[in-house]
């Protein structure tokens, strides 16, 4: 996600900003920029590409004098990576420079409102709206202008602001995206996280939602959204830089597992307005949808496992035949595609070679293509007919977690959107499922709350040589992903089987002490899965049973261990069951001393065939 740094003090701002931004590079970005105020006014220098490009332009900051400034590394969400879409974004009259982390959900309405009043926009970003609104509402008091803006803006934001009319101050505002103030003698800072300013101070103040900070060289003042003064205590950071980059977590993977509720919120919330699913970015019209006779879902690895869940969701909601395929097989089996085929391509990186090749094959045969991608402006995103982004923020750990969860959320959004257009669901069903989707972020938080239980269970079995995951229907689809997570970071051999398939061969693998994790969250098949648990236990297996609360009692009677997840509509259950199983894989790998964020032999994005 984006990185923000701000400075006011006695030193030259540009070198401090560039150094702070370099500490935020790990967050992933595609462009960078700074705004510095000096006696000749406000100067903004920004460019697409790595921070090194900006450092070169600024000669590491030497070429831009001034002791007040803000800086930004951009992880694109709205508007592809480019110089003009980089931050800081500047208002029409040059009064305000703004850096932003988050998503302004109603930016189009606000932009149209200002354009009708003659405001000229230059970028495709949502952030520019903030800079333009500040100038539009400014009547000599920056705080009052900020209040006007925050009362109208919907979405998530961490904002750093400087004003040419008020050069002795740096302003900071936050809602849903983290932002901190760093305090030091004669100089003060703002930053997205502590790593950017640890070299200068360990005294920080965390802004809470809708709080505003006003920094001068002497100190910082804090206000609530009504501009009432706030007293806010400082805290001393004990972390070292390495720990701070991971937000205090030991590994990026755990940080990203725990970010899933927030990532789900950012992916779902902008796409449900007044209980109705709105996919602004989708060019697929009702006529296009009605023309579709077949849907393929094509991807690799974890993204393919999202397709395995999507098959159940689409067939249940759309009553339409769905084929899923691993991308590396897709084009070599001469698929039969035409202009009535919709090919959904799923990719976190948007650069996976096999998946890109599958996309190109689909387009070559005239199929309609829709990509679900996390990296804005990536090759797959640019080449597909339509793209829907998962706003998970950059996923640093090789093992995919929050991308999987947000890809699932986008699948549910598409399936419900298409079901509404095709009329395959009643209004009541649509309302029920849409409400369930809106609740997913908070239920994910609940599903992640039992970390200690999972950690203890992992401590009992991290030396296992084999582990088997079994499930039926959507639980089988989730088993595929759970098994891959365990394999790729703990190096323990693992397989996923449908519960009903055990008796056709795999059950011969079960012996005394074999660990089997049975996913039984699909209530209507609980009895079948209970029978499968008895089958493997009769041959000596130790079984962890995953189920929803309503089956907790019965599960106690069949499995050795059980873990409950919140109940959601069946096709959404993998969004719940995968969470404890991501934690399980993490703890097993951690107890084995594996390199969790960078497992052996693996790359984050496989850009070769
Ligand atoms: C999953 O944990 C792995 N990192 C891998 O399977 C990954 O999902 C696969 O390589 C596809 O990557 P993509 O989503 O970026 O296309």
């Amino acid at each position: 996600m984006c990185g923000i740094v701000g400075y006011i003090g006695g030193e030259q701002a540009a070198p401090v900003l560039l150094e702070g931004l370099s500490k935020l590079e790990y967050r992933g970005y595609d462009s960078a920029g700074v705004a510095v105020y000096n006696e000749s006014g406000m100067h903004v220098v920004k460019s697409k590409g790595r921070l090194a490009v900006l450092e070169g332009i600024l000669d590491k900051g030497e070429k831009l004098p001034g002791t007040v400034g803000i800086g930004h590394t951009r992880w694109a969400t709205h508007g592809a990576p480019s110089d003009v879409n980089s931050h800081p974004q500047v208002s029409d009259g040059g009064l305000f420079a703004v850096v932003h982390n988050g998503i302004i959900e109603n930016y189009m309405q606000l932009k149209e409102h200002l354009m009708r009043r003659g405001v000229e926009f230059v970028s495709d970003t949502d952030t520019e709206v903030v800079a333009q609104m500040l100038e539009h509402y400014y009547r000599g008091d920056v705080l009052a202008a900020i209040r006007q803006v925050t009362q109208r803006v919907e979405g998530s934001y961490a904002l750093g602001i400087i004003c040419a009319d008020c050069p002795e101050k740096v302003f900071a505002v936050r809602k849903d995206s983290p932002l901190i103030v760093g305090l030091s003698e004669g100089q003060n800072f703002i930053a997205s996280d502590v790593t950017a300013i640890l070299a200068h101070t360990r005294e920080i103040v965390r802004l809470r939602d809708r709080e505003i900070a006003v920094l001068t060289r002497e100190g910082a003042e804090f206000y609530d959204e009504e501009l009432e003064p706030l007293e806010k205590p400082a805290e001393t950071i004990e972390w070292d830089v390495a720990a701070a980059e991971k937000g205090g977590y030991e590994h990026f993977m755990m940080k990203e597992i725990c970010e899933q509720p927030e990532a789900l919120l950012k992916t779902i919330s902008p796409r449900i307005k007044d209980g109705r699913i709105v996919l602004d970015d989708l060019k697929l019209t009702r006529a296009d949808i009605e023309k579709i006779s077949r849907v393929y879902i094509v991807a690799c690895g974890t993204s393919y496992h999202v397709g395995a869940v999507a098959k159940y969701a689409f067939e249940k909601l759309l009553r339409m035949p769905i084929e899923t395929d691993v991308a590396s097989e897709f084009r070599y089996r001469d698929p039969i595609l035409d202009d009535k085929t919709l090919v959904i391509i799923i990719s976190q990186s948007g650069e996976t070679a096999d998946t890109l090749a599958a996309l190109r094959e689909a387009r070559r045969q005239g199929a309609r293509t829709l990509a679900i991608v996390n990296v804005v402006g990536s090759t797959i995103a640019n080449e597909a007919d339509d793209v829907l982004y998962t706003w998970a923020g950059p996923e640093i750990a090789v093992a995919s977690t929050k991308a999987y969860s947000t890809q699932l959320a986008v699948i549910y959004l598409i399936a419900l959107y298409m079901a509404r257009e095709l009329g395959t669901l009643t209004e009541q069903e649509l309302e029920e499922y849409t409400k369930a989707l809106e609740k997913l972020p908070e239920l994910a938080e609940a599903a992640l709350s039992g970390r200690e239980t999972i950690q203890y269970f992992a401590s009992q079995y991290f030396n296992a040589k084999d582990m088997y995951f079994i499930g039926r229907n959507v639980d089988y689809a989730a088993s595929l992903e759970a098994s891959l997570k365990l394999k790729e970071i703990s190096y323990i051999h693992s397989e996923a089987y449908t519960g009903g398939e055990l008796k056709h061969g795999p059950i011969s693998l079960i012996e005394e002490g074999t660990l089997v994790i049975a996913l039984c969250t699909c209530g209507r098949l609980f009895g079948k899965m209970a029978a499968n648990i008895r089958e493997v236990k009769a041959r000596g297996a130790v079984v962890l049973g995953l189920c929803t609360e309503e089956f907790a009692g019965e599960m106690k009677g069949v499995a050795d261990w059980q873990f409950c997840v919140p109940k959601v509509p069946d096709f959404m259950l993998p969004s719940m069951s995968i969470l404890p199983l991501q934690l399980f894989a993490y703890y097993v790998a951690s107890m084995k001393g594996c390199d969790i964020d960078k497992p052996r032999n693996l790359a984050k994005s496989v850009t070769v065939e």
Side-chain angles (χ1 to χ4, degrees):
M1 66 221 88
C2 303
I4 290 174
V5 187
Y7 175 80
I8 183 164
E11 295 180 39
Q12 290 305 304
V16 173
L17 298 174
L18 290 172
E19 182 242 349
L21 293 178
S22 71
K23 297 287 190 291
L24 298 177
E25 285 191 282
Y26 74 88
R27 297 159 70 97
Y29 68 102
D30 43 56
S31 59
V34 295
V36 172
Y37 185 89
N38 61 34
E39 64 280 355
S40 62
M42 177 112 76
H43 301 271
V44 177
V45 180
K46 56 187 185 177
S47 70
K48 178 182 175 183
R50 308 306 294 166
L51 191 57
V53 175
L54 187 65
E55 287 170 340
I57 297 168
L58 292 172
D59 191 10
K60 295 196 182 304
E62 298 305 315
K63 285 187 178 170
L64 184 52
T67 59
V68 186
I70 51 178
H72 188 262
T73 47
R74 180 175 183 244
W75 169 266
T77 55
H78 293 71
S82 67
D83 292 355
V84 75
N85 286 339
S86 308
H87 298 196
Q89 286 293 318
V90 182
S91 58
D92 228 0
L95 257 185
F96 288 90
V98 174
V99 291
H100 168 223
N101 179 26
I103 294 174
I104 306 297
E105 295 174 7
N106 61 339
Y107 82 98
M108 281 311 290
Q109 297 94 302
L110 297 169
K111 184 168 180 175
E112 286 157 7
H113 174 81
L114 291 173
M115 288 171 75
R116 284 196 294 273
R117 283 154 182 75
V119 175
E120 304 256 321
F121 281 78
V122 296
S123 83
D124 302 326
T125 67
D126 53 336
T127 305
E128 186 183 356
V129 157
V130 175
Q132 301 292 13
M133 287 175 75
L134 284 167
E135 183 158 309
H136 182 71
Y137 290 109
Y138 180 64
R139 301 289 182 276
D141 178 344
V142 175
L143 266 181
I146 288 173
R147 185 161 182 270
Q148 291 281 353
V149 172
T150 54
Q151 285 179 331
R152 289 166 173 76
V153 156
E154 294 167 14
S156 57
Y157 48 82
L159 297 170
I161 301 164
I162 58 175
C163 174
D165 225 13
C166 183
E168 296 308 305
K169 293 180 179 177
V170 173
F171 300 84
V173 198
R174 91 146 266 170
K175 175 179 171 290
D176 291 339
S177 291
L179 195 57
I180 61 169
V181 170
L183 303 172
S184 181
E185 191 59 39
Q187 59 180 11
N188 294 296
F189 306 79
I190 62 171
S192 298
D193 76 32
V194 293
T195 49
I197 56 174
L198 267 187
H200 303 281
T201 180
R202 288 181 174 273
E203 291 305 303
I204 70 149
V205 175
R206 295 182 193 279
L207 285 184
R208 299 292 171 222
D209 271 4
R210 299 184 183 280
E211 291 181 349
I212 303 166
V214 182
L215 278 63
T216 61
R217 286 175 178 77
E218 293 69 42
E221 292 173 351
F222 301 95
Y223 301 88
D224 67 15
E225 59 185 310
E226 300 306 325
L227 304 188
E228 292 299 325
L230 288 173
E231 286 302 316
K232 287 184 69 63
E235 66 179 273
T236 304
I237 294 295
E238 309 299 344
W239 293 332
D240 62 20
V241 173
E245 276 187 4
K246 304 177 186 92
Y249 292 98
E250 190 180 350
H251 299 100
F252 280 113
M253 184 177 176
M254 180 56 92
K255 177 172 177 281
E256 288 155 10
I257 287 173
C258 295
E259 279 175 348
Q260 289 178 104
E262 179 192 353
L264 283 167
L265 182 69
K266 289 189 173 177
T267 299
I268 294 166
S269 171
R271 292 157 165 156
I272 298 180
K273 298 234 186 313
D274 304 326
R276 185 178 167 78
I277 289 170
V278 287
L279 299 182
D280 299 334
D281 347 47
L282 199 64
K283 297 190 284 292
L284 205 60
T285 64
R286 172 176 297 195
D288 294 333
I289 292 170
E290 284 167 347
K291 201 173 84 175
I292 293 167
S293 63
R294 176 177 294 278
V295 177
Y296 279 87
I297 302 177
V298 183
C300 298
T302 286
S303 298
Y304 167 70
H305 295 154
V306 169
V309 176
K311 177 177 174 63
Y312 292 103
F314 275 64
E315 290 188 345
K316 174 180 175 59
L317 302 181
L318 303 177
R319 305 309 298 152
M320 189 186 285
I322 308 290
E323 290 219 31
T324 57
D325 223 331
V326 287
S328 53
E329 287 295 302
F330 180 69
R331 74 186 183 287
Y332 293 121
R333 65 180 185 81
D334 299 328
I336 304 154
L337 312 173
D338 58 24
D339 62 357
K340 296 183 184 58
T341 311
L342 172 63
V343 176
I344 297 177
I345 296 284
I346 306 175
S347 176
Q348 188 285 129
S349 62
E351 300 299 344
T352 301
D354 287 323
T355 310
L356 177 58
L359 168 63
R360 288 172 175 167
E361 173 60 15
R363 288 179 59 79
R364 188 185 67 79
Q365 290 201 41
R368 181 67 184 256
T369 56
L370 164 57
I372 300 173
V373 178
N374 195 40
V375 179
V376 174
S378 55
T379 307
I380 288 172
N382 287 339
E383 294 193 12
D385 296 311
D386 273 298
V387 58
L388 283 174
Y389 286 113
T390 51
W391 287 320
E395 192 175 64
I396 311 292
V398 166
S400 184
T401 51
K402 61 180 184 174
Y404 176 83
S405 291
T406 52
Q407 287 165 349
L408 282 177
V410 173
I411 282 289
Y412 306 147
L413 284 161
I414 296 169
L416 289 171
Y417 176 85
M418 290 177 69
R420 186 185 70 211
E421 297 304 304
L422 294 173
T424 52
L425 288 179
T426 65
E427 273 308 313
Q428 187 189 346
E429 286 170 326
L430 266 175
E431 185 181 345
E432 176 200 339
Y433 293 148
T434 305
K435 281 203 171 85
L437 188 49
E438 282 187 300
K439 276 196 72 177
L440 224 42
E442 72 179 79
L443 293 178
E445 198 69 66
L448 287 168
S449 61
R451 281 163 59 174
E452 294 69 27
T453 308
I454 295 295
Q455 187 171 19
Y456 178 72
F457 179 68
S459 71
Q460 304 301 302
Y461 297 100
F462 71 93
N463 280 319
K465 292 290 169 286
D466 305 287
M467 290 192 197
Y468 297 99
F469 293 82
I470 60 173
R472 291 174 181 248
N473 199 281
V474 289
D475 281 322
Y476 169 62
S479 298
L480 292 168
E481 175 57 11
S483 176
L484 174 63
K485 281 288 95 43
L486 182 77
K487 274 184 270 214
E488 64 178 326
I489 63 172
S490 74
Y491 315 146
I492 291 175
H493 167 252
S494 168
E495 299 293 340
Y497 289 113
T498 56
E501 196 55 13
L502 283 171
K503 55 187 174 297
H504 299 288
I507 200 162
S508 65
L509 293 169
I510 306 300
E511 51 196 24
E512 194 58 36
T514 302
L515 181 61
V516 174
I517 296 176
L519 281 73
C520 316
T521 63
C522 186
R524 61 192 175 85
L525 296 171
F526 184 87
K528 295 285 185 192
M529 282 305 298
N532 292 142
I533 290 173
R534 290 189 192 94
E535 271 174 15
V536 294
K537 280 194 61 59
R539 287 150 180 91
V542 173
V543 177
L544 163 70
L546 230 67
C547 63
T548 54
E549 288 294 346
E550 63 190 302
F551 289 94
E554 287 182 72
M555 184 61 87
K556 272 204 180 79
V558 284
D560 302 285
W561 306 71
Q562 69 274 340
F563 189 85
C564 293
V565 295
K567 181 166 175 52
V568 293
D570 280 4
F571 66 93
M572 294 185 191
L573 284 165
S575 296
M576 295 291 109
S577 56
I578 197 59
L579 299 171
L581 298 176
Q582 290 170 343
L583 289 170
F584 174 68
Y586 173 85
Y587 286 125
V588 167
S590 173
M591 290 165 192
K592 287 192 69 181
C594 295
D595 182 351
I596 289 175
D597 286 335
K598 297 188 178 68
R600 67 187 182 200
N601 310 334
L602 295 182
K604 183 58 187 168
S605 177
V606 184
T607 54
V608 292
E609 279 204 36

